[in-house]
Amino acid sequence: MLVKILLAAGGALVVGVAVVLILASIKPDTFRVSRSIEIDAPPEAIYPLIADFREMQKWSPYEKSDPAMQRTLSGSDRGVGAVYEWKGNSMAGEGRIAIIDAVPASSVTMDLHMIKPFACRNVVLYTIEPRGDVTRVTWDMQGPSPFMAKTMQVFMNMDSVCGKQFEEGLASLKRLAENRTSGKAAAEVAVAAR
C-alpha cells in the first residue's frame, strides 16, 4: 500500500515537473514591461530627475527595498557614462546600471546588469514626450528570457511584479517633478512681484 502511494506521488511529481517545463518552453524568448504617466511639468524639469542617479534615488521604488544598501556612483555626474552600483539585502539584490544614451528632455537609455538575486542583463528606457500642457513619461524595460526565467514566469507574472514597481516609481517622480515645478513657479511670481 505504501509503495503504491509513493509511486502515485512520484508519478504526480514527474507529471507536474513536465507540465511546468512544457509551459516554460512556450513562453517568449524576450520580455517587456512598460508603464506611463502624465506629469504636469515640462520635459526640461523631468529629464534631470532621470538622467542623474542622485536625483533618481529620491523617487526610485527600489531605494526603499533596503535603506542600508551600499551605493556607489561613478563615471559622469549625469547623462551618458553615469554609473550606479548597489549591494543590498535579498530584496535589493546586487547590480549595476549605467546610462548609455541620453537625449536631453527626451530620453534616457540604461544598461541594467543584475548580479543577485539572479543574473540578467536588460535595457531600461525612459521616454519623455510633451503632450500639450503635460508631459508623458514612459518607463520601459526589456531583455532576454532564458529558460530559467521562463520557468519562473510560469509561477509569477513579470509584467505585474515589475509593472507595480514602475507605477509606484512613476507616481513618486510625478510628485517630485510637480512639486519642484510649482515651487519654482511660486518663487518666480514672488520675485516678479518685488
Side-chain angles (χ1 to χ4, degrees), residues 91-102:
M91 291 294 292
E94 180 180 351
R96 177 184 193 274
I97 191 164
I99 298 177
I100 56 174
D101 189 40

Side-chain angles (χ1 to χ4, degrees), residues 35-103:
R35 295 293 189 274
S36 297
I37 196 166
E38 291 188 346
I39 300 176
D40 188 15
E44 298 77 18
I46 299 167
Y47 173 81
L49 301 176
I50 298 171
D52 184 333
F53 288 122
R54 292 167 301 204
E55 293 291 331
M56 187 178 268
Q57 288 177 34
K58 297 172 184 171
W59 60 267
S60 171
Y62 301 108
E63 291 296 317
K64 298 175 186 173
S65 57
D66 181 7
M69 184 165 52
Q70 297 173 19
R71 300 165 178 88
T72 305
L73 296 170
S74 60
S76 302
D77 285 345
R78 68 190 62 81
V80 176
V83 176
Y84 176 86
E85 295 175 273
W86 73 94
K87 188 174 186 177
N89 62 22
S90 61
M91 291 294 292
E94 180 180 351
R96 177 184 193 274
I97 191 164
I99 298 177
I100 56 174
D101 189 40
V103 179

